[in-house]
Amino acid sequence: MKDLRVVLVVSTDPSDLFFANQLARRFSAVAVVVEDQAAAPLGPRLRRTVRRLLSPWKLPEHLRGQRIIAEHVRRTALIDREGFGEEGYQLQLPPGCQLVELSGKGVLNRPETVERVRRLEPDLLVLCGCSILKKEILSVPRLGTLNLHGGLAQRYRGVWTTLWAVVNHEPEYVGATVHFVTPDIDDGDIVHQGRPELGADDDPESLYVKVVRLGVEMMASAVAGVAAGEVKRYPLEERGRLYLSSMVTPEVLARAWQATEEGVMREYLADRDRRDQAVLPLMRGVFPPQGR
């Protein structure tokens, strides 16, 4: 396993740092590339602020949205801290593993980044939470690129997919997909799919913690399969709806927590056998559930 040169590419989110810590140790990773997605130019943010100030009739709506976001951040921070521990907040890389920190829009696809990754001579890129990679960087690793997607791609593609499954009252579709990466979004060949064990007291963020922890085990299995030359690939035969970051408004966040408080998890668990009949036939490379 140590002969496989693995380079991890993640964002600064606690879930992704936890993922990087776990996988870097298990596979003696050559490097961890951390993309700071929050680093954006001041100009657009300042222009948005000015527009809001010039529209005072929207101020109450804006303030309500800010309160919802603040409450969401408060809740998720507590759950993430408990679920990921210190490994979600500080990289603890093994000896010999390089740390490459990048920031800026589109930084992963810049020519200088592609060349920097090329010099690492990776056999395999392993992704979690980073921006979409283009063909130039995807062509670098000898054995391809694997991604952990926090959803079942036949139903949910894109981002915030666990939250959307709660909003849509479909917790049966909470799960993870490990797949090979193409320049498109979440549509490469599947290696593993899995769903965590769900509880009546779960909420959008505790579900996501479970998905990530399960995803770590799924990715470890997938990387081991690649190293052994025994990985199985399943084409994505049905592409789920694509969810974008811009679709997550304060109202969507409020709906997710409201659905939780109104018992969306209890409703599913009371009718689990019937509702799972629509999900299980879709899944490929099924991984044992974990996380009760």
PDB file of all heavy atoms in Angstrom, residues 9-10 33-39 100-117 130-134 137:
ATOM      1  N   VAL A   9      -6.857  15.911  -2.024  1.00  0.00           N
ATOM      2  CA  VAL A   9      -7.238  17.291  -2.324  1.00  0.00           C
ATOM      3  C   VAL A   9      -8.551  17.573  -1.601  1.00  0.00           C
ATOM      4  O   VAL A   9      -9.566  16.920  -1.884  1.00  0.00           O
ATOM      5  CB  VAL A   9      -7.392  17.534  -3.837  1.00  0.00           C
ATOM      6  CG1 VAL A   9      -7.666  19.012  -4.110  1.00  0.00           C
ATOM      7  CG2 VAL A   9      -6.155  17.063  -4.598  1.00  0.00           C
ATOM      8  N   VAL A  10      -8.537  18.545  -0.680  1.00  0.00           N
ATOM      9  CA  VAL A  10      -9.699  18.815   0.161  1.00  0.00           C
ATOM     10  C   VAL A  10      -9.889  20.317   0.329  1.00  0.00           C
ATOM     11  O   VAL A  10      -9.032  21.116  -0.045  1.00  0.00           O
ATOM     12  CB  VAL A  10      -9.539  18.160   1.553  1.00  0.00           C
ATOM     13  CG1 VAL A  10      -9.406  16.647   1.434  1.00  0.00           C
ATOM     14  CG2 VAL A  10      -8.348  18.750   2.310  1.00  0.00           C
ATOM     15  N   VAL A  33      -3.373  18.554  -0.427  1.00  0.00           N
ATOM     16  CA  VAL A  33      -3.604  19.868  -1.016  1.00  0.00           C
ATOM     17  C   VAL A  33      -4.885  20.431  -0.400  1.00  0.00           C
ATOM     18  O   VAL A  33      -5.945  19.799  -0.496  1.00  0.00           O
ATOM     19  CB  VAL A  33      -3.740  19.785  -2.546  1.00  0.00           C
ATOM     20  CG1 VAL A  33      -4.008  21.168  -3.138  1.00  0.00           C
ATOM     21  CG2 VAL A  33      -2.483  19.171  -3.164  1.00  0.00           C
ATOM     22  N   VAL A  34      -4.791  21.580   0.242  1.00  0.00           N
ATOM     23  CA  VAL A  34      -5.947  22.195   0.898  1.00  0.00           C
ATOM     24  C   VAL A  34      -6.319  23.458   0.139  1.00  0.00           C
ATOM     25  O   VAL A  34      -5.517  24.392   0.024  1.00  0.00           O
ATOM     26  CB  VAL A  34      -5.645  22.526   2.369  1.00  0.00           C
ATOM     27  CG1 VAL A  34      -6.872  23.177   3.019  1.00  0.00           C
ATOM     28  CG2 VAL A  34      -5.245  21.268   3.136  1.00  0.00           C
ATOM     29  N   GLU A  35      -7.537  23.485  -0.358  1.00  0.00           N
ATOM     30  CA  GLU A  35      -8.056  24.627  -1.119  1.00  0.00           C
ATOM     31  C   GLU A  35      -8.918  25.485  -0.202  1.00  0.00           C
ATOM     32  O   GLU A  35      -9.919  25.006   0.339  1.00  0.00           O
ATOM     33  CB  GLU A  35      -8.887  24.124  -2.299  1.00  0.00           C
ATOM     34  CG  GLU A  35      -9.579  25.222  -3.079  1.00  0.00           C
ATOM     35  CD  GLU A  35     -10.722  24.695  -3.934  1.00  0.00           C
ATOM     36  OE1 GLU A  35     -11.266  23.611  -3.625  1.00  0.00           O
ATOM     37  OE2 GLU A  35     -11.080  25.384  -4.899  1.00  0.00           O
ATOM     38  N   ASP A  36      -8.564  26.733  -0.043  1.00  0.00           N
ATOM     39  CA  ASP A  36      -9.351  27.671   0.757  1.00  0.00           C
ATOM     40  C   ASP A  36     -10.396  28.311  -0.152  1.00  0.00           C
ATOM     41  O   ASP A  36     -10.113  29.254  -0.877  1.00  0.00           O
ATOM     42  CB  ASP A  36      -8.456  28.734   1.382  1.00  0.00           C
ATOM     43  CG  ASP A  36      -9.228  29.672   2.304  1.00  0.00           C
ATOM     44  OD1 ASP A  36     -10.460  29.514   2.420  1.00  0.00           O
ATOM     45  OD2 ASP A  36      -8.598  30.555   2.901  1.00  0.00           O
ATOM     46  N   GLN A  37     -11.621  27.776  -0.103  1.00  0.00           N
ATOM     47  CA  GLN A  37     -12.676  28.259  -0.980  1.00  0.00           C
ATOM     48  C   GLN A  37     -13.290  29.560  -0.492  1.00  0.00           C
ATOM     49  O   GLN A  37     -14.039  30.204  -1.220  1.00  0.00           O
ATOM     50  CB  GLN A  37     -13.758  27.184  -1.113  1.00  0.00           C
ATOM     51  CG  GLN A  37     -13.241  25.892  -1.714  1.00  0.00           C
ATOM     52  CD  GLN A  37     -14.266  24.782  -1.661  1.00  0.00           C
ATOM     53  OE1 GLN A  37     -15.311  24.910  -1.025  1.00  0.00           O
ATOM     54  NE2 GLN A  37     -13.971  23.685  -2.318  1.00  0.00           N
ATOM     55  N   ALA A  38     -12.995  29.962   0.739  1.00  0.00           N
ATOM     56  CA  ALA A  38     -13.567  31.200   1.279  1.00  0.00           C
ATOM     57  C   ALA A  38     -12.809  32.424   0.809  1.00  0.00           C
ATOM     58  O   ALA A  38     -13.272  33.542   0.967  1.00  0.00           O
ATOM     59  CB  ALA A  38     -13.569  31.155   2.805  1.00  0.00           C
ATOM     60  N   ALA A  39     -11.633  32.205   0.243  1.00  0.00           N
ATOM     61  CA  ALA A  39     -10.818  33.344  -0.197  1.00  0.00           C
ATOM     62  C   ALA A  39     -11.380  33.900  -1.494  1.00  0.00           C
ATOM     63  O   ALA A  39     -11.142  33.384  -2.571  1.00  0.00           O
ATOM     64  CB  ALA A  39      -9.375  32.909  -0.400  1.00  0.00           C
ATOM     65  N   VAL A 100       0.190  21.337   0.964  1.00  0.00           N
ATOM     66  CA  VAL A 100       0.131  22.361  -0.082  1.00  0.00           C
ATOM     67  C   VAL A 100      -1.134  23.179   0.157  1.00  0.00           C
ATOM     68  O   VAL A 100      -2.247  22.659   0.010  1.00  0.00           O
ATOM     69  CB  VAL A 100       0.115  21.730  -1.492  1.00  0.00           C
ATOM     70  CG1 VAL A 100       0.025  22.821  -2.557  1.00  0.00           C
ATOM     71  CG2 VAL A 100       1.345  20.849  -1.701  1.00  0.00           C
ATOM     72  N   GLU A 101      -1.013  24.428   0.531  1.00  0.00           N
ATOM     73  CA  GLU A 101      -2.153  25.291   0.821  1.00  0.00           C
ATOM     74  C   GLU A 101      -2.348  26.275  -0.324  1.00  0.00           C
ATOM     75  O   GLU A 101      -1.415  26.987  -0.710  1.00  0.00           O
ATOM     76  CB  GLU A 101      -1.929  26.029   2.136  1.00  0.00           C
ATOM     77  CG  GLU A 101      -1.839  25.096   3.331  1.00  0.00           C
ATOM     78  CD  GLU A 101      -1.612  25.827   4.632  1.00  0.00           C
ATOM     79  OE1 GLU A 101      -0.485  26.312   4.844  1.00  0.00           O
ATOM     80  OE2 GLU A 101      -2.566  25.923   5.433  1.00  0.00           O
ATOM     81  N   LEU A 102      -3.576  26.319  -0.849  1.00  0.00           N
ATOM     82  CA  LEU A 102      -3.891  27.159  -1.993  1.00  0.00           C
ATOM     83  C   LEU A 102      -5.140  27.981  -1.681  1.00  0.00           C
ATOM     84  O   LEU A 102      -6.013  27.549  -0.933  1.00  0.00           O
ATOM     85  CB  LEU A 102      -4.144  26.304  -3.234  1.00  0.00           C
ATOM     86  CG  LEU A 102      -3.021  25.346  -3.667  1.00  0.00           C
ATOM     87  CD1 LEU A 102      -3.521  24.433  -4.775  1.00  0.00           C
ATOM     88  CD2 LEU A 102      -1.802  26.131  -4.123  1.00  0.00           C
ATOM     89  N   SER A 103      -5.249  29.160  -2.283  1.00  0.00           N
ATOM     90  CA  SER A 103      -6.455  29.961  -2.116  1.00  0.00           C
ATOM     91  C   SER A 103      -6.705  30.755  -3.387  1.00  0.00           C
ATOM     92  O   SER A 103      -5.790  31.016  -4.172  1.00  0.00           O
ATOM     93  CB  SER A 103      -6.326  30.909  -0.917  1.00  0.00           C
ATOM     94  OG  SER A 103      -5.275  31.835  -1.133  1.00  0.00           O
ATOM     95  N   GLY A 104      -7.971  31.108  -3.573  1.00  0.00           N
ATOM     96  CA  GLY A 104      -8.338  31.884  -4.745  1.00  0.00           C
ATOM     97  C   GLY A 104      -9.269  31.117  -5.666  1.00  0.00           C
ATOM     98  O   GLY A 104      -9.250  29.887  -5.729  1.00  0.00           O
ATOM     99  N   LYS A 105     -10.099  31.849  -6.372  1.00  0.00           N
ATOM    100  CA  LYS A 105     -11.060  31.240  -7.272  1.00  0.00           C
ATOM    101  C   LYS A 105     -10.358  30.509  -8.412  1.00  0.00           C
ATOM    102  O   LYS A 105      -9.479  31.057  -9.077  1.00  0.00           O
ATOM    103  CB  LYS A 105     -11.987  32.314  -7.849  1.00  0.00           C
ATOM    104  CG  LYS A 105     -13.102  31.755  -8.716  1.00  0.00           C
ATOM    105  CD  LYS A 105     -14.042  32.856  -9.167  1.00  0.00           C
ATOM    106  CE  LYS A 105     -15.176  32.301 -10.013  1.00  0.00           C
ATOM    107  NZ  LYS A 105     -16.107  33.379 -10.464  1.00  0.00           N
ATOM    108  N   GLY A 106     -10.738  29.250  -8.625  1.00  0.00           N
ATOM    109  CA  GLY A 106     -10.181  28.465  -9.720  1.00  0.00           C
ATOM    110  C   GLY A 106      -8.738  28.062  -9.539  1.00  0.00           C
ATOM    111  O   GLY A 106      -8.086  27.619 -10.497  1.00  0.00           O
ATOM    112  N   VAL A 107      -8.218  28.142  -8.305  1.00  0.00           N
ATOM    113  CA  VAL A 107      -6.791  27.920  -8.093  1.00  0.00           C
ATOM    114  C   VAL A 107      -6.360  26.504  -8.443  1.00  0.00           C
ATOM    115  O   VAL A 107      -5.233  26.285  -8.909  1.00  0.00           O
ATOM    116  CB  VAL A 107      -6.412  28.280  -6.638  1.00  0.00           C
ATOM    117  CG1 VAL A 107      -7.072  27.325  -5.641  1.00  0.00           C
ATOM    118  CG2 VAL A 107      -4.908  28.283  -6.456  1.00  0.00           C
ATOM    119  N   LEU A 108      -7.235  25.525  -8.238  1.00  0.00           N
ATOM    120  CA  LEU A 108      -6.831  24.138  -8.484  1.00  0.00           C
ATOM    121  C   LEU A 108      -6.580  23.857  -9.961  1.00  0.00           C
ATOM    122  O   LEU A 108      -5.830  22.931 -10.295  1.00  0.00           O
ATOM    123  CB  LEU A 108      -7.891  23.175  -7.950  1.00  0.00           C
ATOM    124  CG  LEU A 108      -8.003  23.072  -6.437  1.00  0.00           C
ATOM    125  CD1 LEU A 108      -9.154  22.162  -6.047  1.00  0.00           C
ATOM    126  CD2 LEU A 108      -6.704  22.570  -5.816  1.00  0.00           C
ATOM    127  N   ASN A 109      -7.192  24.624 -10.824  1.00  0.00           N
ATOM    128  CA  ASN A 109      -7.051  24.380 -12.259  1.00  0.00           C
ATOM    129  C   ASN A 109      -6.045  25.312 -12.940  1.00  0.00           C
ATOM    130  O   ASN A 109      -5.900  25.262 -14.162  1.00  0.00           O
ATOM    131  CB  ASN A 109      -8.423  24.499 -12.937  1.00  0.00           C
ATOM    132  CG  ASN A 109      -9.371  23.403 -12.493  1.00  0.00           C
ATOM    133  OD1 ASN A 109      -9.108  22.226 -12.682  1.00  0.00           O
ATOM    134  ND2 ASN A 109     -10.478  23.795 -11.864  1.00  0.00           N
ATOM    135  N   ARG A 110      -5.371  26.124 -12.172  1.00  0.00           N
ATOM    136  CA  ARG A 110      -4.367  27.002 -12.758  1.00  0.00           C
ATOM    137  C   ARG A 110      -3.171  26.185 -13.238  1.00  0.00           C
ATOM    138  O   ARG A 110      -2.809  25.166 -12.634  1.00  0.00           O
ATOM    139  CB  ARG A 110      -3.905  28.043 -11.732  1.00  0.00           C
ATOM    140  CG  ARG A 110      -4.975  29.053 -11.368  1.00  0.00           C
ATOM    141  CD  ARG A 110      -4.475  29.984 -10.285  1.00  0.00           C
ATOM    142  NE  ARG A 110      -5.535  30.884  -9.819  1.00  0.00           N
ATOM    143  CZ  ARG A 110      -5.442  31.676  -8.758  1.00  0.00           C
ATOM    144  NH1 ARG A 110      -4.306  31.692  -8.054  1.00  0.00           N
ATOM    145  NH2 ARG A 110      -6.440  32.444  -8.395  1.00  0.00           N
ATOM    146  N   PRO A 111      -2.513  26.615 -14.303  1.00  0.00           N
ATOM    147  CA  PRO A 111      -1.361  25.860 -14.828  1.00  0.00           C
ATOM    148  C   PRO A 111      -0.284  25.607 -13.786  1.00  0.00           C
ATOM    149  O   PRO A 111       0.306  24.516 -13.750  1.00  0.00           O
ATOM    150  CB  PRO A 111      -0.853  26.744 -15.969  1.00  0.00           C
ATOM    151  CG  PRO A 111      -2.055  27.513 -16.414  1.00  0.00           C
ATOM    152  CD  PRO A 111      -2.854  27.758 -15.173  1.00  0.00           C
ATOM    153  N   GLU A 112      -0.024  26.587 -12.925  1.00  0.00           N
ATOM    154  CA  GLU A 112       1.021  26.399 -11.929  1.00  0.00           C
ATOM    155  C   GLU A 112       0.648  25.336 -10.900  1.00  0.00           C
ATOM    156  O   GLU A 112       1.508  24.606 -10.394  1.00  0.00           O
ATOM    157  CB  GLU A 112       1.359  27.721 -11.217  1.00  0.00           C
ATOM    158  CG  GLU A 112       0.201  28.396 -10.503  1.00  0.00           C
ATOM    159  CD  GLU A 112      -0.567  29.391 -11.363  1.00  0.00           C
ATOM    160  OE1 GLU A 112      -0.592  29.201 -12.592  1.00  0.00           O
ATOM    161  OE2 GLU A 112      -1.138  30.336 -10.791  1.00  0.00           O
ATOM    162  N   THR A 113      -0.674  25.222 -10.592  1.00  0.00           N
ATOM    163  CA  THR A 113      -1.112  24.167  -9.678  1.00  0.00           C
ATOM    164  C   THR A 113      -1.002  22.802 -10.338  1.00  0.00           C
ATOM    165  O   THR A 113      -0.552  21.831  -9.716  1.00  0.00           O
ATOM    166  CB  THR A 113      -2.562  24.412  -9.229  1.00  0.00           C
ATOM    167  OG1 THR A 113      -2.655  25.693  -8.593  1.00  0.00           O
ATOM    168  CG2 THR A 113      -3.025  23.338  -8.260  1.00  0.00           C
ATOM    169  N   VAL A 114      -1.422  22.724 -11.593  1.00  0.00           N
ATOM    170  CA  VAL A 114      -1.316  21.459 -12.322  1.00  0.00           C
ATOM    171  C   VAL A 114       0.131  20.985 -12.350  1.00  0.00           C
ATOM    172  O   VAL A 114       0.432  19.802 -12.096  1.00  0.00           O
ATOM    173  CB  VAL A 114      -1.863  21.617 -13.757  1.00  0.00           C
ATOM    174  CG1 VAL A 114      -1.636  20.328 -14.554  1.00  0.00           C
ATOM    175  CG2 VAL A 114      -3.345  21.979 -13.729  1.00  0.00           C
ATOM    176  N   GLU A 115       1.061  21.901 -12.604  1.00  0.00           N
ATOM    177  CA  GLU A 115       2.476  21.534 -12.646  1.00  0.00           C
ATOM    178  C   GLU A 115       2.982  21.129 -11.269  1.00  0.00           C
ATOM    179  O   GLU A 115       3.780  20.193 -11.131  1.00  0.00           O
ATOM    180  CB  GLU A 115       3.297  22.705 -13.190  1.00  0.00           C
ATOM    181  CG  GLU A 115       4.780  22.402 -13.324  1.00  0.00           C
ATOM    182  CD  GLU A 115       5.064  21.188 -14.193  1.00  0.00           C
ATOM    183  OE1 GLU A 115       4.297  20.923 -15.139  1.00  0.00           O
ATOM    184  OE2 GLU A 115       6.069  20.491 -13.906  1.00  0.00           O
ATOM    185  N   ARG A 116       2.493  21.807 -10.240  1.00  0.00           N
ATOM    186  CA  ARG A 116       2.913  21.470  -8.881  1.00  0.00           C
ATOM    187  C   ARG A 116       2.452  20.066  -8.498  1.00  0.00           C
ATOM    188  O   ARG A 116       3.205  19.297  -7.885  1.00  0.00           O
ATOM    189  CB  ARG A 116       2.343  22.497  -7.899  1.00  0.00           C
ATOM    190  CG  ARG A 116       2.941  22.439  -6.504  1.00  0.00           C
ATOM    191  CD  ARG A 116       2.521  23.647  -5.705  1.00  0.00           C
ATOM    192  NE  ARG A 116       3.113  23.647  -4.388  1.00  0.00           N
ATOM    193  CZ  ARG A 116       2.915  24.600  -3.480  1.00  0.00           C
ATOM    194  NH1 ARG A 116       2.155  25.654  -3.779  1.00  0.00           N
ATOM    195  NH2 ARG A 116       3.480  24.533  -2.287  1.00  0.00           N
ATOM    196  N   VAL A 117       1.227  19.729  -8.874  1.00  0.00           N
ATOM    197  CA  VAL A 117       0.722  18.378  -8.605  1.00  0.00           C
ATOM    198  C   VAL A 117       1.469  17.353  -9.454  1.00  0.00           C
ATOM    199  O   VAL A 117       1.798  16.256  -8.985  1.00  0.00           O
ATOM    200  CB  VAL A 117      -0.801  18.318  -8.868  1.00  0.00           C
ATOM    201  CG1 VAL A 117      -1.319  16.878  -8.788  1.00  0.00           C
ATOM    202  CG2 VAL A 117      -1.551  19.199  -7.875  1.00  0.00           C
ATOM    203  N   CYS A 130     -13.511  19.516  -2.604  1.00  0.00           N
ATOM    204  CA  CYS A 130     -12.814  20.562  -3.357  1.00  0.00           C
ATOM    205  C   CYS A 130     -13.653  21.015  -4.554  1.00  0.00           C
ATOM    206  O   CYS A 130     -14.693  20.435  -4.860  1.00  0.00           O
ATOM    207  CB  CYS A 130     -11.450  20.064  -3.829  1.00  0.00           C
ATOM    208  SG  CYS A 130     -11.507  18.748  -5.054  1.00  0.00           S
ATOM    209  N   SER A 131     -13.172  22.037  -5.234  1.00  0.00           N
ATOM    210  CA  SER A 131     -13.853  22.543  -6.428  1.00  0.00           C
ATOM    211  C   SER A 131     -13.754  21.535  -7.575  1.00  0.00           C
ATOM    212  O   SER A 131     -12.976  20.575  -7.523  1.00  0.00           O
ATOM    213  CB  SER A 131     -13.236  23.874  -6.862  1.00  0.00           C
ATOM    214  OG  SER A 131     -13.371  24.840  -5.851  1.00  0.00           O
ATOM    215  N   ILE A 132     -14.519  21.783  -8.617  1.00  0.00           N
ATOM    216  CA  ILE A 132     -14.527  20.900  -9.787  1.00  0.00           C
ATOM    217  C   ILE A 132     -13.173  20.975 -10.490  1.00  0.00           C
ATOM    218  O   ILE A 132     -12.661  22.066 -10.768  1.00  0.00           O
ATOM    219  CB  ILE A 132     -15.653  21.296 -10.746  1.00  0.00           C
ATOM    220  CG1 ILE A 132     -17.011  21.118 -10.059  1.00  0.00           C
ATOM    221  CG2 ILE A 132     -15.602  20.459 -12.030  1.00  0.00           C
ATOM    222  CD1 ILE A 132     -18.171  21.676 -10.848  1.00  0.00           C
ATOM    223  N   LEU A 133     -12.599  19.825 -10.782  1.00  0.00           N
ATOM    224  CA  LEU A 133     -11.313  19.768 -11.468  1.00  0.00           C
ATOM    225  C   LEU A 133     -11.521  19.591 -12.972  1.00  0.00           C
ATOM    226  O   LEU A 133     -12.415  18.859 -13.404  1.00  0.00           O
ATOM    227  CB  LEU A 133     -10.471  18.600 -10.936  1.00  0.00           C
ATOM    228  CG  LEU A 133     -10.138  18.617  -9.445  1.00  0.00           C
ATOM    229  CD1 LEU A 133      -9.170  17.488  -9.116  1.00  0.00           C
ATOM    230  CD2 LEU A 133      -9.564  19.953  -9.013  1.00  0.00           C
ATOM    231  N   LYS A 134     -10.667  20.247 -13.737  1.00  0.00           N
ATOM    232  CA  LYS A 134     -10.740  20.151 -15.190  1.00  0.00           C
ATOM    233  C   LYS A 134      -9.800  19.057 -15.706  1.00  0.00           C
ATOM    234  O   LYS A 134      -8.991  18.501 -14.958  1.00  0.00           O
ATOM    235  CB  LYS A 134     -10.404  21.506 -15.815  1.00  0.00           C
ATOM    236  CG  LYS A 134     -11.417  22.586 -15.459  1.00  0.00           C
ATOM    237  CD  LYS A 134     -11.094  23.911 -16.144  1.00  0.00           C
ATOM    238  CE  LYS A 134     -12.129  24.978 -15.791  1.00  0.00           C
ATOM    239  NZ  LYS A 134     -11.837  26.281 -16.434  1.00  0.00           N
ATOM    240  N   ILE A 137      -5.755  18.762 -14.935  1.00  0.00           N
ATOM    241  CA  ILE A 137      -5.248  18.186 -13.690  1.00  0.00           C
ATOM    242  C   ILE A 137      -5.707  16.741 -13.533  1.00  0.00           C
ATOM    243  O   ILE A 137      -4.993  15.912 -12.949  1.00  0.00           O
ATOM    244  CB  ILE A 137      -5.653  19.049 -12.469  1.00  0.00           C
ATOM    245  CG1 ILE A 137      -4.860  18.614 -11.231  1.00  0.00           C
ATOM    246  CG2 ILE A 137      -7.146  19.005 -12.221  1.00  0.00           C
ATOM    247  CD1 ILE A 137      -4.975  19.583 -10.072  1.00  0.00           C
TER     248      ILE A 137
END
